[in-house]
Amino acid sequence: MDNENPVEALDASFELVARADAADEALGALRSDVEEVKSRLERVVRHAGRPALGGGVQAPEVKSFVDGYLRQGREAEIKSLSIGVQADGGYAVPRSIDERIAAILRKVSPIRQVAQVVQVGSAGYRKLVMTSGTASGWVSETGARAETTSPKFAEIAPPFGELYANPSATQAMLDDAMFDVEGWLAAEISNEFARAEGAAFVNGTGTNQPKGFLQSATSNAGDATRAFGTLQFVATGNATGFDTAPELKLIDLVHALKAGHRQGAVFLMNSATLAQVRKFKAADGSFLWQAGIMDGQPARLLGYPVIEAEDMPDIAAGAFPIAFGNFRNGYLIAERSATQILRDPFTNKPFVNFYATKRVGGQVLDSEAIKQLKVST
């Protein structure tokens, strides 16, 4: 090292400094390229929409509805989404939010789980039901064919009503980017809808609301002699509940239903009645009620699923605490497909109300498909 030429050493030092400067320059350029790529990626993500709660990416129209109208009340951004503005205002929610509401309704509303649900375009829905079939018979190859009788029909026009919910949130909640407005609103609306329609499908009067199946006329006459639209009941024989052989009355109730309707039939009762039924035993000492074999499967009574509906009446003299039937054949729910939402930041300051409405109707479709157990008077 002592014999090293000072000039050569100085040149080597300059070369090292130049190389370091070049490396710094290259590193700076690389950093600039990375920042540019990140900026472009962020713009792409912002354009596609923020991630939704259930995974995936929100569609632009849904993002416009949620961030523009629900969060900020900018109506101009959602006018193209509306399929019709009602007289009192409000916009049809995007299909993805409406599907969320419908999915929760199917899980929460007991009658909706088992009844026939149709989507309609107006409140004037009509359905023809055949009450007697065309006569038929056997003849030889060349035998004369007698003229058959004409079938008879009955028109079903389920009464409609406007179902509404009015959840509210603070503007601070809506301004929070981490607050899932879409999921919160769907859950709030569907829970309120389920509570209101569950009561209407069972006990609705038919005036500005669906007509519940318990509001139908009843008779203990069989299907052959009972008028169309009248539900058949089986009496318990005891004014305080069941007699000494309750399993026999339940078996009578099951077999009062035609075999074709028993495929897909369910028991319907509230939890208080179910608490009594779970204690019933057959003559051999076995329980009539059986828990679901798999998680998520309903419990069974005499081999048929049991659906809990808290709007069913308790056991009392003259009451109908248990229904058994094929509700898909027996009860019709008709609804307008789109839920309307009106954002209201003025009525309940500092809260923002979301007034949601939907047209829903309901009525017994086939009175032969539903039977009731009546507590004797």
Side-chain angles (χ1 to χ4, degrees), residues 340-377:
Q340 303 281 334
I341 291 184
L342 175 65
R343 188 181 192 273
D344 177 15
F346 308 109
T347 301
N348 192 25
K349 295 179 180 178
F351 298 98
V352 178
N353 292 343
F354 294 95
Y355 182 66
T357 59
K358 191 171 189 175
R359 297 285 296 175
V360 180
Q363 185 180 351
V364 169
L365 178 63
D366 185 352
S367 54
E368 293 185 359
I370 301 175
K371 308 296 180 181
Q372 300 180 87
L373 187 75
K374 180 179 180 180
V375 179
S376 300
T377 55

PDB file of all heavy atoms in Angstrom, residues 340-377:
ATOM      1  N   GLN A 340     -88.174   0.086  -2.932  1.00  0.00           N
ATOM      2  CA  GLN A 340     -87.959   1.523  -3.122  1.00  0.00           C
ATOM      3  C   GLN A 340     -87.385   2.124  -1.837  1.00  0.00           C
ATOM      4  O   GLN A 340     -87.813   1.772  -0.730  1.00  0.00           O
ATOM      5  CB  GLN A 340     -89.278   2.217  -3.453  1.00  0.00           C
ATOM      6  CG  GLN A 340     -89.995   1.678  -4.681  1.00  0.00           C
ATOM      7  CD  GLN A 340     -89.393   2.209  -5.971  1.00  0.00           C
ATOM      8  OE1 GLN A 340     -88.800   3.281  -5.992  1.00  0.00           O
ATOM      9  NE2 GLN A 340     -89.560   1.468  -7.047  1.00  0.00           N
ATOM     10  N   ILE A 341     -86.414   3.011  -1.976  1.00  0.00           N
ATOM     11  CA  ILE A 341     -85.786   3.659  -0.820  1.00  0.00           C
ATOM     12  C   ILE A 341     -85.805   5.170  -1.005  1.00  0.00           C
ATOM     13  O   ILE A 341     -85.424   5.680  -2.067  1.00  0.00           O
ATOM     14  CB  ILE A 341     -84.341   3.170  -0.612  1.00  0.00           C
ATOM     15  CG1 ILE A 341     -84.338   1.711  -0.158  1.00  0.00           C
ATOM     16  CG2 ILE A 341     -83.626   4.032   0.425  1.00  0.00           C
ATOM     17  CD1 ILE A 341     -82.960   1.181   0.159  1.00  0.00           C
ATOM     18  N   LEU A 342     -86.244   5.889   0.031  1.00  0.00           N
ATOM     19  CA  LEU A 342     -86.218   7.348   0.052  1.00  0.00           C
ATOM     20  C   LEU A 342     -85.317   7.798   1.194  1.00  0.00           C
ATOM     21  O   LEU A 342     -85.548   7.453   2.352  1.00  0.00           O
ATOM     22  CB  LEU A 342     -87.627   7.904   0.245  1.00  0.00           C
ATOM     23  CG  LEU A 342     -87.734   9.425   0.397  1.00  0.00           C
ATOM     24  CD1 LEU A 342     -87.290  10.118  -0.889  1.00  0.00           C
ATOM     25  CD2 LEU A 342     -89.153   9.839   0.756  1.00  0.00           C
ATOM     26  N   ARG A 343     -84.282   8.541   0.867  1.00  0.00           N
ATOM     27  CA  ARG A 343     -83.349   9.053   1.875  1.00  0.00           C
ATOM     28  C   ARG A 343     -83.920  10.327   2.483  1.00  0.00           C
ATOM     29  O   ARG A 343     -84.251  11.272   1.768  1.00  0.00           O
ATOM     30  CB  ARG A 343     -81.984   9.336   1.236  1.00  0.00           C
ATOM     31  CG  ARG A 343     -80.869   9.696   2.207  1.00  0.00           C
ATOM     32  CD  ARG A 343     -79.594   9.964   1.414  1.00  0.00           C
ATOM     33  NE  ARG A 343     -78.423  10.050   2.256  1.00  0.00           N
ATOM     34  CZ  ARG A 343     -77.995  11.151   2.860  1.00  0.00           C
ATOM     35  NH1 ARG A 343     -78.685  12.285   2.700  1.00  0.00           N
ATOM     36  NH2 ARG A 343     -76.909  11.144   3.599  1.00  0.00           N
ATOM     37  N   ASP A 344     -84.033  10.362   3.816  1.00  0.00           N
ATOM     38  CA  ASP A 344     -84.656  11.499   4.504  1.00  0.00           C
ATOM     39  C   ASP A 344     -83.728  12.005   5.619  1.00  0.00           C
ATOM     40  O   ASP A 344     -83.712  11.461   6.714  1.00  0.00           O
ATOM     41  CB  ASP A 344     -86.001  11.078   5.097  1.00  0.00           C
ATOM     42  CG  ASP A 344     -86.669  12.197   5.888  1.00  0.00           C
ATOM     43  OD1 ASP A 344     -86.239  13.363   5.748  1.00  0.00           O
ATOM     44  OD2 ASP A 344     -87.622  11.905   6.643  1.00  0.00           O
ATOM     45  N   PRO A 345     -82.935  13.057   5.340  1.00  0.00           N
ATOM     46  CA  PRO A 345     -82.036  13.597   6.371  1.00  0.00           C
ATOM     47  C   PRO A 345     -82.663  14.705   7.207  1.00  0.00           C
ATOM     48  O   PRO A 345     -81.979  15.299   8.055  1.00  0.00           O
ATOM     49  CB  PRO A 345     -80.878  14.146   5.533  1.00  0.00           C
ATOM     50  CG  PRO A 345     -81.532  14.608   4.269  1.00  0.00           C
ATOM     51  CD  PRO A 345     -82.704  13.687   4.026  1.00  0.00           C
ATOM     52  N   PHE A 346     -83.940  15.018   7.007  1.00  0.00           N
ATOM     53  CA  PHE A 346     -84.538  16.203   7.632  1.00  0.00           C
ATOM     54  C   PHE A 346     -85.478  15.879   8.792  1.00  0.00           C
ATOM     55  O   PHE A 346     -85.562  16.643   9.752  1.00  0.00           O
ATOM     56  CB  PHE A 346     -85.316  17.005   6.578  1.00  0.00           C
ATOM     57  CG  PHE A 346     -84.528  17.320   5.347  1.00  0.00           C
ATOM     58  CD1 PHE A 346     -84.809  16.686   4.146  1.00  0.00           C
ATOM     59  CD2 PHE A 346     -83.493  18.236   5.386  1.00  0.00           C
ATOM     60  CE1 PHE A 346     -84.086  16.965   3.007  1.00  0.00           C
ATOM     61  CE2 PHE A 346     -82.761  18.524   4.257  1.00  0.00           C
ATOM     62  CZ  PHE A 346     -83.052  17.886   3.063  1.00  0.00           C
ATOM     63  N   THR A 347     -86.206  14.773   8.724  1.00  0.00           N
ATOM     64  CA  THR A 347     -87.275  14.513   9.692  1.00  0.00           C
ATOM     65  C   THR A 347     -86.752  14.281  11.094  1.00  0.00           C
ATOM     66  O   THR A 347     -87.355  14.730  12.074  1.00  0.00           O
ATOM     67  CB  THR A 347     -88.101  13.294   9.239  1.00  0.00           C
ATOM     68  OG1 THR A 347     -88.636  13.566   7.947  1.00  0.00           O
ATOM     69  CG2 THR A 347     -89.241  13.020  10.207  1.00  0.00           C
ATOM     70  N   ASN A 348     -85.622  13.588  11.233  1.00  0.00           N
ATOM     71  CA  ASN A 348     -85.148  13.137  12.541  1.00  0.00           C
ATOM     72  C   ASN A 348     -83.684  13.508  12.747  1.00  0.00           C
ATOM     73  O   ASN A 348     -82.856  12.645  13.033  1.00  0.00           O
ATOM     74  CB  ASN A 348     -85.353  11.618  12.658  1.00  0.00           C
ATOM     75  CG  ASN A 348     -85.167  11.113  14.073  1.00  0.00           C
ATOM     76  OD1 ASN A 348     -85.331  11.846  15.042  1.00  0.00           O
ATOM     77  ND2 ASN A 348     -84.802   9.849  14.198  1.00  0.00           N
ATOM     78  N   LYS A 349     -83.370  14.789  12.595  1.00  0.00           N
ATOM     79  CA  LYS A 349     -81.979  15.233  12.774  1.00  0.00           C
ATOM     80  C   LYS A 349     -81.486  14.888  14.180  1.00  0.00           C
ATOM     81  O   LYS A 349     -82.254  14.966  15.147  1.00  0.00           O
ATOM     82  CB  LYS A 349     -81.880  16.741  12.561  1.00  0.00           C
ATOM     83  CG  LYS A 349     -82.197  17.184  11.138  1.00  0.00           C
ATOM     84  CD  LYS A 349     -82.092  18.706  11.021  1.00  0.00           C
ATOM     85  CE  LYS A 349     -82.405  19.161   9.607  1.00  0.00           C
ATOM     86  NZ  LYS A 349     -82.343  20.639   9.489  1.00  0.00           N
ATOM     87  N   PRO A 350     -80.207  14.493  14.334  1.00  0.00           N
ATOM     88  CA  PRO A 350     -79.131  14.386  13.337  1.00  0.00           C
ATOM     89  C   PRO A 350     -79.092  13.043  12.608  1.00  0.00           C
ATOM     90  O   PRO A 350     -78.082  12.702  12.002  1.00  0.00           O
ATOM     91  CB  PRO A 350     -77.882  14.545  14.195  1.00  0.00           C
ATOM     92  CG  PRO A 350     -78.245  13.858  15.477  1.00  0.00           C
ATOM     93  CD  PRO A 350     -79.708  14.166  15.685  1.00  0.00           C
ATOM     94  N   PHE A 351     -80.167  12.272  12.672  1.00  0.00           N
ATOM     95  CA  PHE A 351     -80.181  10.971  12.012  1.00  0.00           C
ATOM     96  C   PHE A 351     -80.680  11.108  10.576  1.00  0.00           C
ATOM     97  O   PHE A 351     -81.480  11.989  10.255  1.00  0.00           O
ATOM     98  CB  PHE A 351     -81.075   9.988  12.773  1.00  0.00           C
ATOM     99  CG  PHE A 351     -80.604   9.715  14.173  1.00  0.00           C
ATOM    100  CD1 PHE A 351     -81.162  10.389  15.252  1.00  0.00           C
ATOM    101  CD2 PHE A 351     -79.601   8.796  14.406  1.00  0.00           C
ATOM    102  CE1 PHE A 351     -80.728  10.145  16.539  1.00  0.00           C
ATOM    103  CE2 PHE A 351     -79.168   8.540  15.694  1.00  0.00           C
ATOM    104  CZ  PHE A 351     -79.726   9.217  16.764  1.00  0.00           C
ATOM    105  N   VAL A 352     -80.208  10.196   9.738  1.00  0.00           N
ATOM    106  CA  VAL A 352     -80.674  10.086   8.364  1.00  0.00           C
ATOM    107  C   VAL A 352     -81.557   8.847   8.285  1.00  0.00           C
ATOM    108  O   VAL A 352     -81.115   7.738   8.559  1.00  0.00           O
ATOM    109  CB  VAL A 352     -79.503   9.958   7.371  1.00  0.00           C
ATOM    110  CG1 VAL A 352     -80.029   9.796   5.946  1.00  0.00           C
ATOM    111  CG2 VAL A 352     -78.591  11.168   7.474  1.00  0.00           C
ATOM    112  N   ASN A 353     -82.835   9.031   7.943  1.00  0.00           N
ATOM    113  CA  ASN A 353     -83.769   7.917   7.820  1.00  0.00           C
ATOM    114  C   ASN A 353     -83.765   7.391   6.390  1.00  0.00           C
ATOM    115  O   ASN A 353     -83.634   8.150   5.435  1.00  0.00           O
ATOM    116  CB  ASN A 353     -85.185   8.349   8.191  1.00  0.00           C
ATOM    117  CG  ASN A 353     -85.324   8.675   9.662  1.00  0.00           C
ATOM    118  OD1 ASN A 353     -84.488   8.303  10.469  1.00  0.00           O
ATOM    119  ND2 ASN A 353     -86.377   9.375  10.017  1.00  0.00           N
ATOM    120  N   PHE A 354     -83.917   6.077   6.264  1.00  0.00           N
ATOM    121  CA  PHE A 354     -84.029   5.446   4.951  1.00  0.00           C
ATOM    122  C   PHE A 354     -85.392   4.748   4.905  1.00  0.00           C
ATOM    123  O   PHE A 354     -85.573   3.664   5.464  1.00  0.00           O
ATOM    124  CB  PHE A 354     -82.894   4.446   4.724  1.00  0.00           C
ATOM    125  CG  PHE A 354     -81.547   5.094   4.649  1.00  0.00           C
ATOM    126  CD1 PHE A 354     -80.731   5.181   5.770  1.00  0.00           C
ATOM    127  CD2 PHE A 354     -81.088   5.635   3.461  1.00  0.00           C
ATOM    128  CE1 PHE A 354     -79.489   5.781   5.699  1.00  0.00           C
ATOM    129  CE2 PHE A 354     -79.847   6.242   3.378  1.00  0.00           C
ATOM    130  CZ  PHE A 354     -79.048   6.324   4.507  1.00  0.00           C
ATOM    131  N   TYR A 355     -86.334   5.409   4.271  1.00  0.00           N
ATOM    132  CA  TYR A 355     -87.712   4.913   4.218  1.00  0.00           C
ATOM    133  C   TYR A 355     -87.823   3.931   3.056  1.00  0.00           C
ATOM    134  O   TYR A 355     -87.805   4.323   1.887  1.00  0.00           O
ATOM    135  CB  TYR A 355     -88.683   6.078   4.040  1.00  0.00           C
ATOM    136  CG  TYR A 355     -90.136   5.689   4.009  1.00  0.00           C
ATOM    137  CD1 TYR A 355     -90.757   5.156   5.129  1.00  0.00           C
ATOM    138  CD2 TYR A 355     -90.885   5.851   2.846  1.00  0.00           C
ATOM    139  CE1 TYR A 355     -92.091   4.793   5.097  1.00  0.00           C
ATOM    140  CE2 TYR A 355     -92.216   5.496   2.805  1.00  0.00           C
ATOM    141  CZ  TYR A 355     -92.818   4.964   3.933  1.00  0.00           C
ATOM    142  OH  TYR A 355     -94.138   4.601   3.900  1.00  0.00           O
ATOM    143  N   ALA A 356     -87.906   2.640   3.384  1.00  0.00           N
ATOM    144  CA  ALA A 356     -87.953   1.586   2.373  1.00  0.00           C
ATOM    145  C   ALA A 356     -89.358   1.026   2.272  1.00  0.00           C
ATOM    146  O   ALA A 356     -90.013   0.776   3.292  1.00  0.00           O
ATOM    147  CB  ALA A 356     -86.976   0.469   2.731  1.00  0.00           C
ATOM    148  N   THR A 357     -89.841   0.832   1.063  1.00  0.00           N
ATOM    149  CA  THR A 357     -91.197   0.315   0.844  1.00  0.00           C
ATOM    150  C   THR A 357     -91.178  -0.802  -0.191  1.00  0.00           C
ATOM    151  O   THR A 357     -90.300  -0.858  -1.065  1.00  0.00           O
ATOM    152  CB  THR A 357     -92.151   1.418   0.356  1.00  0.00           C
ATOM    153  OG1 THR A 357     -91.651   1.972  -0.871  1.00  0.00           O
ATOM    154  CG2 THR A 357     -92.286   2.511   1.399  1.00  0.00           C
ATOM    155  N   LYS A 358     -92.182  -1.670  -0.072  1.00  0.00           N
ATOM    156  CA  LYS A 358     -92.338  -2.772  -1.023  1.00  0.00           C
ATOM    157  C   LYS A 358     -93.790  -3.218  -1.010  1.00  0.00           C
ATOM    158  O   LYS A 358     -94.408  -3.298   0.054  1.00  0.00           O
ATOM    159  CB  LYS A 358     -91.430  -3.939  -0.641  1.00  0.00           C
ATOM    160  CG  LYS A 358     -91.313  -5.019  -1.691  1.00  0.00           C
ATOM    161  CD  LYS A 358     -90.222  -6.004  -1.310  1.00  0.00           C
ATOM    162  CE  LYS A 358     -89.948  -6.970  -2.452  1.00  0.00           C
ATOM    163  NZ  LYS A 358     -88.814  -7.870  -2.144  1.00  0.00           N
ATOM    164  N   ARG A 359     -94.349  -3.499  -2.173  1.00  0.00           N
ATOM    165  CA  ARG A 359     -95.729  -3.971  -2.283  1.00  0.00           C
ATOM    166  C   ARG A 359     -95.753  -5.484  -2.151  1.00  0.00           C
ATOM    167  O   ARG A 359     -95.095  -6.205  -2.904  1.00  0.00           O
ATOM    168  CB  ARG A 359     -96.330  -3.564  -3.622  1.00  0.00           C
ATOM    169  CG  ARG A 359     -96.444  -2.070  -3.847  1.00  0.00           C
ATOM    170  CD  ARG A 359     -97.568  -1.453  -3.055  1.00  0.00           C
ATOM    171  NE  ARG A 359     -98.878  -1.965  -3.469  1.00  0.00           N
ATOM    172  CZ  ARG A 359    -100.013  -1.651  -2.859  1.00  0.00           C
ATOM    173  NH1 ARG A 359     -99.998  -0.853  -1.803  1.00  0.00           N
ATOM    174  NH2 ARG A 359    -101.155  -2.133  -3.285  1.00  0.00           N
ATOM    175  N   VAL A 360     -96.508  -5.990  -1.155  1.00  0.00           N
ATOM    176  CA  VAL A 360     -96.570  -7.431  -0.889  1.00  0.00           C
ATOM    177  C   VAL A 360     -98.029  -7.831  -0.683  1.00  0.00           C
ATOM    178  O   VAL A 360     -98.783  -7.129   0.003  1.00  0.00           O
ATOM    179  CB  VAL A 360     -95.744  -7.818   0.353  1.00  0.00           C
ATOM    180  CG1 VAL A 360     -95.829  -9.318   0.609  1.00  0.00           C
ATOM    181  CG2 VAL A 360     -94.291  -7.406   0.181  1.00  0.00           C
ATOM    182  N   GLY A 361     -98.428  -8.939  -1.271  1.00  0.00           N
ATOM    183  CA  GLY A 361     -99.763  -9.480  -1.090  1.00  0.00           C
ATOM    184  C   GLY A 361     -99.697 -10.957  -0.741  1.00  0.00           C
ATOM    185  O   GLY A 361     -98.676 -11.614  -0.953  1.00  0.00           O
ATOM    186  N   GLY A 362    -100.794 -11.490  -0.209  1.00  0.00           N
ATOM    187  CA  GLY A 362    -100.822 -12.901   0.137  1.00  0.00           C
ATOM    188  C   GLY A 362    -102.221 -13.387   0.406  1.00  0.00           C
ATOM    189  O   GLY A 362    -103.085 -12.621   0.851  1.00  0.00           O
ATOM    190  N   GLN A 363    -102.471 -14.667   0.132  1.00  0.00           N
ATOM    191  CA  GLN A 363    -103.786 -15.263   0.346  1.00  0.00           C
ATOM    192  C   GLN A 363    -103.658 -16.780   0.206  1.00  0.00           C
ATOM    193  O   GLN A 363    -102.743 -17.293  -0.453  1.00  0.00           O
ATOM    194  CB  GLN A 363    -104.796 -14.736  -0.672  1.00  0.00           C
ATOM    195  CG  GLN A 363    -106.216 -15.215  -0.454  1.00  0.00           C
ATOM    196  CD  GLN A 363    -107.185 -14.653  -1.488  1.00  0.00           C
ATOM    197  OE1 GLN A 363    -106.824 -13.772  -2.267  1.00  0.00           O
ATOM    198  NE2 GLN A 363    -108.408 -15.143  -1.509  1.00  0.00           N
ATOM    199  N   VAL A 364    -104.597 -17.502   0.827  1.00  0.00           N
ATOM    200  CA  VAL A 364    -104.662 -18.949   0.644  1.00  0.00           C
ATOM    201  C   VAL A 364    -104.915 -19.247  -0.832  1.00  0.00           C
ATOM    202  O   VAL A 364    -105.802 -18.670  -1.448  1.00  0.00           O
ATOM    203  CB  VAL A 364    -105.773 -19.569   1.523  1.00  0.00           C
ATOM    204  CG1 VAL A 364    -106.027 -21.018   1.130  1.00  0.00           C
ATOM    205  CG2 VAL A 364    -105.385 -19.493   2.989  1.00  0.00           C
ATOM    206  N   LEU A 365    -104.128 -20.154  -1.374  1.00  0.00           N
ATOM    207  CA  LEU A 365    -104.232 -20.499  -2.793  1.00  0.00           C
ATOM    208  C   LEU A 365    -105.103 -21.734  -2.992  1.00  0.00           C
ATOM    209  O   LEU A 365    -106.057 -21.718  -3.777  1.00  0.00           O
ATOM    210  CB  LEU A 365    -102.830 -20.728  -3.361  1.00  0.00           C
ATOM    211  CG  LEU A 365    -102.734 -21.143  -4.826  1.00  0.00           C
ATOM    212  CD1 LEU A 365    -103.290 -20.050  -5.717  1.00  0.00           C
ATOM    213  CD2 LEU A 365    -101.277 -21.425  -5.192  1.00  0.00           C
ATOM    214  N   ASP A 366    -104.795 -22.819  -2.301  1.00  0.00           N
ATOM    215  CA  ASP A 366    -105.556 -24.060  -2.382  1.00  0.00           C
ATOM    216  C   ASP A 366    -105.932 -24.469  -0.971  1.00  0.00           C
ATOM    217  O   ASP A 366    -105.068 -24.869  -0.185  1.00  0.00           O
ATOM    218  CB  ASP A 366    -104.722 -25.143  -3.064  1.00  0.00           C
ATOM    219  CG  ASP A 366    -105.505 -26.436  -3.285  1.00  0.00           C
ATOM    220  OD1 ASP A 366    -106.646 -26.543  -2.778  1.00  0.00           O
ATOM    221  OD2 ASP A 366    -104.979 -27.338  -3.960  1.00  0.00           O
ATOM    222  N   SER A 367    -107.211 -24.381  -0.638  1.00  0.00           N
ATOM    223  CA  SER A 367    -107.649 -24.655   0.733  1.00  0.00           C
ATOM    224  C   SER A 367    -107.546 -26.132   1.093  1.00  0.00           C
ATOM    225  O   SER A 367    -107.643 -26.482   2.269  1.00  0.00           O
ATOM    226  CB  SER A 367    -109.088 -24.173   0.931  1.00  0.00           C
ATOM    227  OG  SER A 367    -109.944 -24.730  -0.053  1.00  0.00           O
ATOM    228  N   GLU A 368    -107.344 -26.995   0.117  1.00  0.00           N
ATOM    229  CA  GLU A 368    -107.163 -28.414   0.421  1.00  0.00           C
ATOM    230  C   GLU A 368    -105.744 -28.734   0.868  1.00  0.00           C
ATOM    231  O   GLU A 368    -105.489 -29.829   1.370  1.00  0.00           O
ATOM    232  CB  GLU A 368    -107.515 -29.272  -0.804  1.00  0.00           C
ATOM    233  CG  GLU A 368    -108.987 -29.239  -1.188  1.00  0.00           C
ATOM    234  CD  GLU A 368    -109.309 -30.196  -2.311  1.00  0.00           C
ATOM    235  OE1 GLU A 368    -108.362 -30.867  -2.798  1.00  0.00           O
ATOM    236  OE2 GLU A 368    -110.474 -30.293  -2.711  1.00  0.00           O
ATOM    237  N   ALA A 369    -104.815 -27.798   0.683  1.00  0.00           N
ATOM    238  CA  ALA A 369    -103.407 -28.071   0.958  1.00  0.00           C
ATOM    239  C   ALA A 369    -102.996 -27.683   2.379  1.00  0.00           C
ATOM    240  O   ALA A 369    -101.851 -27.924   2.771  1.00  0.00           O
ATOM    241  CB  ALA A 369    -102.528 -27.318  -0.046  1.00  0.00           C
ATOM    242  N   ILE A 370    -103.881 -27.086   3.165  1.00  0.00           N
ATOM    243  CA  ILE A 370    -103.560 -26.670   4.538  1.00  0.00           C
ATOM    244  C   ILE A 370    -104.638 -27.178   5.479  1.00  0.00           C
ATOM    245  O   ILE A 370    -105.834 -26.971   5.235  1.00  0.00           O
ATOM    246  CB  ILE A 370    -103.453 -25.136   4.651  1.00  0.00           C
ATOM    247  CG1 ILE A 370    -102.363 -24.587   3.712  1.00  0.00           C
ATOM    248  CG2 ILE A 370    -103.157 -24.726   6.093  1.00  0.00           C
ATOM    249  CD1 ILE A 370    -102.292 -23.072   3.703  1.00  0.00           C
ATOM    250  N   LYS A 371    -104.227 -27.845   6.558  1.00  0.00           N
ATOM    251  CA  LYS A 371    -105.132 -28.309   7.611  1.00  0.00           C
ATOM    252  C   LYS A 371    -104.729 -27.673   8.928  1.00  0.00           C
ATOM    253  O   LYS A 371    -103.562 -27.310   9.126  1.00  0.00           O
ATOM    254  CB  LYS A 371    -105.098 -29.840   7.726  1.00  0.00           C
ATOM    255  CG  LYS A 371    -105.334 -30.593   6.417  1.00  0.00           C
ATOM    256  CD  LYS A 371    -106.723 -30.349   5.869  1.00  0.00           C
ATOM    257  CE  LYS A 371    -106.932 -31.112   4.559  1.00  0.00           C
ATOM    258  NZ  LYS A 371    -108.256 -30.895   3.963  1.00  0.00           N
ATOM    259  N   GLN A 372    -105.703 -27.553   9.840  1.00  0.00           N
ATOM    260  CA  GLN A 372    -105.437 -26.922  11.125  1.00  0.00           C
ATOM    261  C   GLN A 372    -105.900 -27.815  12.264  1.00  0.00           C
ATOM    262  O   GLN A 372    -106.862 -28.572  12.130  1.00  0.00           O
ATOM    263  CB  GLN A 372    -106.152 -25.577  11.210  1.00  0.00           C
ATOM    264  CG  GLN A 372    -105.750 -24.581  10.143  1.00  0.00           C
ATOM    265  CD  GLN A 372    -106.489 -23.275  10.280  1.00  0.00           C
ATOM    266  OE1 GLN A 372    -106.064 -22.396  11.015  1.00  0.00           O
ATOM    267  NE2 GLN A 372    -107.588 -23.130   9.566  1.00  0.00           N
ATOM    268  N   LEU A 373    -105.203 -27.697  13.376  1.00  0.00           N
ATOM    269  CA  LEU A 373    -105.607 -28.377  14.603  1.00  0.00           C
ATOM    270  C   LEU A 373    -106.270 -27.350  15.502  1.00  0.00           C
ATOM    271  O   LEU A 373    -105.665 -26.324  15.842  1.00  0.00           O
ATOM    272  CB  LEU A 373    -104.391 -28.992  15.306  1.00  0.00           C
ATOM    273  CG  LEU A 373    -104.740 -29.874  16.510  1.00  0.00           C
ATOM    274  CD1 LEU A 373    -105.301 -31.220  16.030  1.00  0.00           C
ATOM    275  CD2 LEU A 373    -103.514 -30.118  17.378  1.00  0.00           C
ATOM    276  N   LYS A 374    -107.519 -27.613  15.870  1.00  0.00           N
ATOM    277  CA  LYS A 374    -108.285 -26.690  16.693  1.00  0.00           C
ATOM    278  C   LYS A 374    -108.435 -27.243  18.101  1.00  0.00           C
ATOM    279  O   LYS A 374    -108.813 -28.402  18.290  1.00  0.00           O
ATOM    280  CB  LYS A 374    -109.673 -26.444  16.087  1.00  0.00           C
ATOM    281  CG  LYS A 374    -110.534 -25.482  16.885  1.00  0.00           C
ATOM    282  CD  LYS A 374    -111.888 -25.266  16.216  1.00  0.00           C
ATOM    283  CE  LYS A 374    -112.750 -24.304  17.021  1.00  0.00           C
ATOM    284  NZ  LYS A 374    -114.076 -24.068  16.392  1.00  0.00           N
ATOM    285  N   VAL A 375    -108.164 -26.403  19.097  1.00  0.00           N
ATOM    286  CA  VAL A 375    -108.401 -26.777  20.470  1.00  0.00           C
ATOM    287  C   VAL A 375    -109.901 -26.668  20.725  1.00  0.00           C
ATOM    288  O   VAL A 375    -110.508 -25.622  20.492  1.00  0.00           O
ATOM    289  CB  VAL A 375    -107.614 -25.869  21.437  1.00  0.00           C
ATOM    290  CG1 VAL A 375    -107.892 -26.262  22.882  1.00  0.00           C
ATOM    291  CG2 VAL A 375    -106.120 -25.938  21.138  1.00  0.00           C
ATOM    292  N   SER A 376    -110.505 -27.743  21.205  1.00  0.00           N
ATOM    293  CA  SER A 376    -111.963 -27.772  21.384  1.00  0.00           C
ATOM    294  C   SER A 376    -112.397 -26.705  22.367  1.00  0.00           C
ATOM    295  O   SER A 376    -111.674 -26.345  23.306  1.00  0.00           O
ATOM    296  CB  SER A 376    -112.406 -29.149  21.867  1.00  0.00           C
ATOM    297  OG  SER A 376    -112.053 -30.136  20.929  1.00  0.00           O
ATOM    298  N   THR A 377    -113.617 -26.217  22.172  1.00  0.00           N
ATOM    299  CA  THR A 377    -114.182 -25.200  23.080  1.00  0.00           C
ATOM    300  C   THR A 377    -114.929 -25.870  24.221  1.00  0.00           C
ATOM    301  O   THR A 377    -115.321 -27.016  24.115  1.00  0.00           O
ATOM    302  CB  THR A 377    -115.123 -24.281  22.298  1.00  0.00           C
ATOM    303  OG1 THR A 377    -116.113 -25.065  21.633  1.00  0.00           O
ATOM    304  CG2 THR A 377    -114.336 -23.503  21.274  1.00  0.00           C
TER     305      THR A 377
END
